[in-house]
Amino acid sequence: MIIALWMEDFVEEAPKSHHKVGAVLVLPNDIIYAADCSRDDVHAVQRLLMKHYDKAEGSKMFMSRKPCPTCTKLLVQAKVQRVLFLPFEPEYYPSDDKDSKRQQVDNLFTASAIAQTKFVLEVEDSVLERALKETPEADENKVNEMKERLIDKYSAFKKNSTWIEKIEKELPWPAFNEIKDQFLEDFYKVMEWIARVFYIPQSQSQSNIARAKDYHFELYGNPKLSKKDFNPVNNDIHKRQAKCLMEIARFLATRTDDPSTGVGAVIASMKIEILALGWNGFPLKALYGEFARASDKDKSTVDKKYPYVIHAEQNALLMRNKKDIEGAILFVTKTPCHECTPLIAMEGIKTVVVDEDVSLRDDKAESNQLGYKEFPEKVKEGKFVCFQTKKDDAGTSDVSEETKRNYEDYEGEDPNSRHQEMIQKKIRKTISNKGGGN
């Protein structure tokens, strides 16, 4: 659902009389198949159903907002099994006849077998605790600023917002007032987790210089580019799209079951249609302990994880929603290794955007580990055009004073303060029991 929410930022303008919407199509086997947003006057759900009509039956559609009547009737007709949406203002809410549209949507859902579910964003305490432990102490203030910017951005769930007061009747959600305080606390915790994703080692391969959202793109090498080429350095639209997709790749990296490194990858067409999403990890349905989990840091262990882990690029290529991806663009959080580089080239991917400084990726690997020399060499040979991210210089906070005020709970207490205190106590107890830090 985080991907659907993040896809709202892919474009600036929403369709007339509608909110921007992000949507993700998930297959019956729970494979993330495709994602899109409302753009070019076509709604996100409509884009996905038209492009992937043969995969819709029995699937799930995750949406950042409740659908409009047109999208709902297409979901019903395509035999989507379930629609899950966040309880923001619905897609149709800016229209003048929102009351009748709400009734039309509810009539369509009621008369069909399709299930509609209000999706409550939440993150487990253990996940947030891990993120808190892995966030560099020097970045705590930056994390808090980003968290508050996110709450400011999704203002529908700020204290005493207009939508909070209307959600019970206008979504409708009759039970909302009974769970409102818990809902908001969970929402704030998720915003904190999202903020931490940009700083923790699991989400970026060079955690000591984590980019967060303060980064820009640079061209690696000296290839010749035309005005038609994808260029997030000089083209503002491409820059916006590249940031959105790279940040989705960072979220995907957190889904890994690799014990030491998370990598995420997104493949997009030249028209910036998402073709595949992937992250690294052990083979599907693998049980804990079936494969070695040691890394190169575990010198005493002979059998290591490297022969068993499926790389993010490999998973993305295997799970893609289109056969021909000639000329596609790969967004990946780590420089492609010697295993993945030939596959990327074979499938015709021409542009690779990497969330690190490619020149810093050395090749000290032994024979049973990973090497990274091949990709930079292919870039120099002209096989790929490569863009890399660079961290911006320190900037100033743009968190509004209103957000700082509205961040307080209804009783005047910051719910995150309570949670932070609880997490800190857990960490101190864990460290005390272990007798040390790492």
Side-chain angles (χ1 to χ4, degrees):
M1 185 60 84
I2 296 294
I3 297 175
L5 181 62
W6 222 249
M7 284 299 294
E8 284 197 351
D9 284 343
F10 199 67
V11 294
E12 292 185 354
E13 294 185 3
K16 185 178 180 181
S17 300
H18 290 78
H19 277 303
K20 293 191 293 185
V21 170
V24 177
L25 181 66
V26 176
L27 300 181
N29 60 0
D30 291 329
I31 295 294
I32 300 176
Y33 190 69
D36 214 325
C37 65
S38 301
R39 50 177 166 154
D40 302 328
D41 296 323
V42 182
H43 297 189
V45 163
Q46 297 171 27
R47 295 179 68 87
L48 288 174
L49 293 179
M50 294 300 109
K51 291 180 179 296
H52 309 293
Y53 59 89
D54 56 334
K55 298 292 184 180
E57 185 172 354
S59 66
K60 302 183 188 72
M61 188 70 75
F62 288 78
M63 302 181 62
S64 60
R65 300 174 188 272
K66 185 176 181 178
C68 70
T70 303
C71 291
T72 304
K73 69 181 180 182
L74 293 178
L75 288 163
V76 171
Q77 187 68 8
K79 299 180 181 179
V80 171
Q81 181 187 58
R82 191 176 182 185
V83 178
L84 303 97
F85 54 86
L86 293 172
F88 288 109
E89 292 181 348
E91 182 176 27
Y92 53 80
Y93 204 73
S95 63
D96 294 332
D97 56 343
K98 55 180 176 288
D99 290 337
S100 62
K101 289 184 181 296
R102 180 183 67 241
Q103 188 62 52
Q104 292 161 11
V105 170
D106 291 341
N107 288 343
L108 283 162
F109 277 128
T110 301
S112 70
I114 191 171
Q116 62 164 322
T117 303
K118 302 168 189 69
F119 192 94
V120 177
L121 283 174
E122 57 184 348
V123 59
E124 294 180 1
D125 285 344
S126 60
V127 174
L128 189 53
E129 178 182 342
R130 176 183 176 183
L132 180 60
K133 290 173 66 176
E134 293 179 338
T135 303
E137 186 176 351
D139 291 326
E140 278 298 328
N141 288 337
K142 296 177 184 178
V143 168
N144 289 329
E145 287 181 358
M146 183 182 293
K147 173 181 62 180
E148 292 180 3
R149 285 200 300 269
L150 289 168
I151 295 171
D152 190 35
K153 175 181 177 181
Y154 301 113
S155 58
F157 294 138
K158 290 196 295 187
K159 174 189 172 185
N160 296 330
S161 74
T162 303
W163 175 242
I164 284 289
E165 302 303 318
K166 295 180 178 179
I167 190 171
E168 186 174 21
K169 294 182 179 180
E170 296 198 16
L171 192 55
W173 194 357
F176 178 73
N177 281 335
E178 299 176 15
I179 64 168
K180 179 167 60 176
D181 290 346
Q182 183 63 49
F183 174 88
L184 290 173
E185 184 173 346
D186 289 340
F187 178 77
Y188 294 151
K189 286 162 61 176
V190 171
M191 295 301 104
E192 178 185 346
W193 176 80
I194 290 175
R196 292 187 183 280
V197 162
F198 296 107
Y199 289 94
I200 58 178
Q202 191 73 357
S203 65
Q204 289 180 278
S205 55
Q206 293 177 313
S207 58
N208 60 315
I209 50 172
R211 278 90 164 111
K213 289 181 74 68
D214 305 317
Y215 65 96
H216 60 277
F217 297 97
E218 288 186 0
L219 188 62
Y220 178 74
N222 298 294
K224 294 181 179 179
L225 298 178
S226 71
K227 291 184 179 180
K228 295 181 179 180
D229 291 327
F230 181 79
N231 188 342
V233 175
N234 298 323
N235 186 307
D236 288 340
I237 294 177
H238 292 172
K239 185 186 302 182
R240 180 189 184 95
Q241 294 169 336
K243 281 203 166 192
C244 180
L245 295 178
M246 186 60 75
E247 287 160 10
I248 288 175
R250 293 180 186 178
F251 289 129
L252 293 171
T254 67
R255 300 194 61 167
T256 185
D257 56 0
D258 184 310
S260 59
T261 304
V263 183
V266 178
I267 301 175
S269 70
M270 290 182 287
K271 295 182 178 179
I272 316 299
E273 303 278 356
I274 293 180
L275 305 177
L277 303 104
W279 57 91
N280 65 320
F282 292 99
L284 289 172
K285 299 184 179 181
L287 299 177
Y288 185 88
E290 284 188 304
F291 300 106
R293 300 172 65 83
S295 69
D296 55 354
K297 296 180 181 179
D298 303 302
K299 303 297 184 183
S300 61
T301 305
V302 176
D303 192 15
K304 294 182 168 49
K305 65 180 181 177
Y306 302 104
Y308 312 113
V309 172
I310 314 298
H311 299 185
E313 302 96 318
Q314 295 167 347
N315 267 326
L317 289 169
L318 287 171
M319 304 300 178
R320 66 185 189 259
N321 58 46
K322 186 178 180 183
K323 183 177 180 180
D324 183 7
I325 58 173
E326 182 79 26
I329 306 164
L330 169 66
F331 300 84
V332 62
T333 58
K334 185 178 178 181
T335 303
C337 68
H338 71 278
E339 278 189 25
C340 297
T341 298
L343 301 180
I344 296 167
M346 180 184 73
E347 292 303 324
I349 292 174
K350 300 300 182 185
T351 303
V352 181
V353 186
V354 183
D355 196 19
E356 66 176 8
D357 189 334
V358 176
S359 63
L360 296 180
R361 176 62 62 181
D362 56 23
D363 189 17
K364 298 178 180 178
E366 300 174 2
S367 58
N368 66 327
Q369 297 175 329
L370 303 177
Y372 298 93
K373 283 184 176 180
E374 187 170 351
F375 178 75
E377 289 175 355
K378 294 295 183 184
V379 174
K380 293 174 184 176
E381 293 171 6
K383 299 292 185 182
F384 300 114
V385 172
C386 177
F387 296 93
Q388 58 188 6
T389 61
K390 289 283 188 176
K391 189 174 183 179
D392 291 339
D393 295 332
T396 57
S397 171
D398 57 358
V399 181
S400 71
E401 290 300 320
E402 181 187 6
T403 293
K404 293 178 181 178
R405 291 194 301 270
N406 289 336
Y407 191 59
E408 297 178 351
D409 190 61
Y410 289 90
E411 300 299 324
E413 182 182 1
D414 180 355
N416 278 287
S417 297
R418 297 198 303 273
H419 181 71
Q420 292 270 21
E421 184 179 354
M422 178 189 71
I423 293 297
Q424 293 287 3
K425 286 181 179 178
K426 285 185 179 180
I427 292 174
R428 287 195 292 269
K429 182 178 180 181
T430 300
I431 293 175
S432 176
N433 290 340
K434 289 183 177 180
N438 298 327

